[in-house]
Amino acid sequence: MPKIPTKPKATDWERVKREADQDAPIAHTSTDGPYDPNDAAAVAAYWQQASIKRGRGRPVAAMKRPTLNMRVDADVLEAFKATGQGWQTRINAALREAVAHGLNKA
């Protein structure tokens, strides 16, 4: 029966230090990436022109919406959550539509 390789439990920092001390060149071909990591000038030029892009998440809104804590029936909440990501936005749209149609009158 072949031996199944196991994942190391922690980083072998001694090995990392040994390999860093060797300062061996990193294998690189033109299809590996945007620059040769062994060429200090190419690395510096690449990072000099690099820009930071905003990650995932909600875009900055012109008007910050207040946080609201409210109680709703469990089945209503589950129905919205079952529609997937963005369920809070859909609840807001449903409430906005109710306000537009005058359904918030007592």
Side-chain angles (χ1 to χ4, degrees):
M1 176 177 236
K3 187 174 182 180
I4 299 172
T6 59
K7 213 172 174 181
K9 301 288 185 211
T11 302
D12 182 359
W13 290 110
E14 293 306 315
R15 182 180 61 86
V16 171
K17 289 175 188 173
R18 272 194 320 272
E19 290 177 3
D21 288 340
Q22 290 175 357
D23 200 26
I26 300 168
H28 174 74
T29 64
S30 61
T31 59
D32 285 343
Y35 59 86
D36 181 357
N38 300 305
D39 181 2
V43 173
Y46 177 80
W47 289 108
Q48 184 67 33
Q49 59 88 29
S51 63
I52 298 173
K53 293 185 178 180
R54 182 176 163 84
R56 291 182 55 180
R58 179 189 308 264
V60 177
M63 184 177 82
K64 184 172 169 47
R65 294 192 271 180
T67 300
L68 169 69
N69 293 324
M70 62 183 276
R71 296 180 186 275
V72 295
D73 293 334
D75 59 330
V76 172
L77 182 61
E78 287 306 315
F80 274 97
K81 282 185 172 183
T83 61
Q85 200 171 13
W87 60 270
Q88 291 173 322
T89 302
R90 286 187 289 281
I91 288 176
N92 188 64
L95 292 171
R96 181 178 294 283
E97 186 177 333
V99 169
H101 289 94
L103 299 177
N104 62 335
K105 304 285 191 247

